[in-house]
Amino acid sequence: MLSGAWAESSRSHEGGKSIDVKVHWPRESLARLLRFLHGAMFVQSADDLRIALDCAKFFEVPSLFAHIGDWVASNLKIETAPAFWRLVEEEPSLMHGSGEGHDDFADADTACFEFHIRHFSKLAGQEEDNDEMEVVKDNVLLHTLSIPLMHRLLSSGLVKMHTAPLKVVVKRFAKAHTVGQPHSAYQDLWARLRPPAVLFNRDHRDSLLPVGEVTVRSFL
């Protein structure tokens, strides 16, 4: 039921006799894990994600990774989606599903990608029906994405924002990620996040690629 390096001492080296193992793990977390293995939900809120991940990694529980990914995919909101996607990015076991035997669980990475494409304008601090970028907002959620995640969004060519306002958004992202660095760092990042390095948005993609059906999964 449970495995991992912690369990190597579960049998003595003299004859393989079973022995008791002392697990130095928070009592409440271990109790929740055992309840999960008997059918209970582990993750009830975002505060539970880190605890669940720690348990899944330490005890090597694939079904718990799948449960975490499923919860993330089902609970994406504007305010939390960037943080959830960074969490998925940082944990390889949550990327592109949770492995063989868990195909019925959601792909958290794909869900996060699609959510950011759909809500790109709001995450950038812009109303979706407004192309003007007059007001510079603090704490832009899009700025909390990692550079590789932002690059994936722009590489897809699926962003539904016109070129002029999108350039402003991307320049602000580049500035936010190069604060305190030489101006050349900003210039280099800006170059990596604009055409021809990426498809950028639907307008630019349509001008370069043949007309046809393009989906989010084409770029995953």
Side-chain angles (χ1 to χ4, degrees):
M1 183 178 289
L2 299 176
S3 60
W6 69 276
E8 291 179 358
S9 60
S10 62
R11 294 185 180 276
S12 67
H13 295 291
E14 295 85 14
K17 182 180 178 181
S18 295
I19 61 174
D20 292 335
V21 177
K22 291 184 178 180
V23 181
H24 297 280
W25 197 257
R27 185 184 186 93
E28 175 58 26
S29 296
L30 186 57
R32 292 177 66 177
L33 175 60
L34 293 174
R35 288 195 294 269
F36 168 77
L37 293 172
H38 287 84
M41 294 283 289
F42 194 114
V43 180
Q44 301 286 348
S45 70
D47 294 337
D48 299 329
L49 288 172
R50 181 54 62 185
I51 299 171
L53 269 176
D54 289 343
C55 286
K57 289 189 288 187
F58 185 75
F59 295 105
E60 297 185 6
V61 186
S63 61
L64 185 50
F65 282 117
H67 167 63
I68 295 166
D70 194 47
W71 190 92
V72 166
S74 301
N75 290 273
L76 292 169
K77 297 179 175 62
I78 296 295
E79 298 76 14
T80 58
F84 286 175
W85 202 12
R86 291 199 318 273
L87 182 71
V88 171
E89 178 192 32
E90 293 164 3
E91 181 46 62
S93 296
L94 296 177
M95 293 289 287
H96 305 299
S98 301
E100 186 177 352
H102 297 285
D103 294 336
D104 54 332
F105 285 86
D107 182 339
D109 180 63
T110 298
C112 289
F113 181 93
E114 293 176 344
F115 185 92
H116 282 72
I117 289 293
R118 286 197 308 271
H119 302 286
F120 187 90
S121 295
K122 287 185 177 179
L123 291 163
Q126 180 187 11
E127 295 299 328
E128 294 190 17
D129 58 351
N130 180 19
D131 279 345
E132 298 298 326
M133 300 293 293
E134 298 293 339
V135 180
V136 179
K137 296 185 178 181
D138 295 327
N139 303 317
V140 176
L141 290 168
L142 197 66
H143 294 176
T144 64
L145 287 182
S146 68
I147 294 172
L149 292 180
M150 184 65 162
H151 189 272
R152 280 180 61 188
L153 293 173
L154 298 172
S155 294
S156 73
L158 297 175
V159 175
K160 294 180 181 179
M161 183 182 287
H162 293 307
T163 299
L166 182 55
K167 284 184 177 179
V168 177
V169 167
V170 177
K171 284 182 178 180
R172 289 176 182 168
F173 179 89
K175 289 179 180 178
H177 279 263
T178 55
V179 172
Q181 301 180 41
H183 185 64
S184 58
Y186 159 75
Q187 291 177 314
D188 176 68
L189 182 54
W190 166 228
R192 288 159 50 197
L193 296 177
R194 72 173 189 264
V198 295
L199 285 175
F200 209 54
N201 59 3
R202 286 180 178 269
D203 293 343
H204 194 257
R205 185 205 69 202
D206 291 344
S207 70
L208 295 175
L209 300 182
V211 177
E213 183 178 358
V214 181
T215 66
V216 169
R217 291 186 179 274
S218 303
F219 299 91
L220 297 178

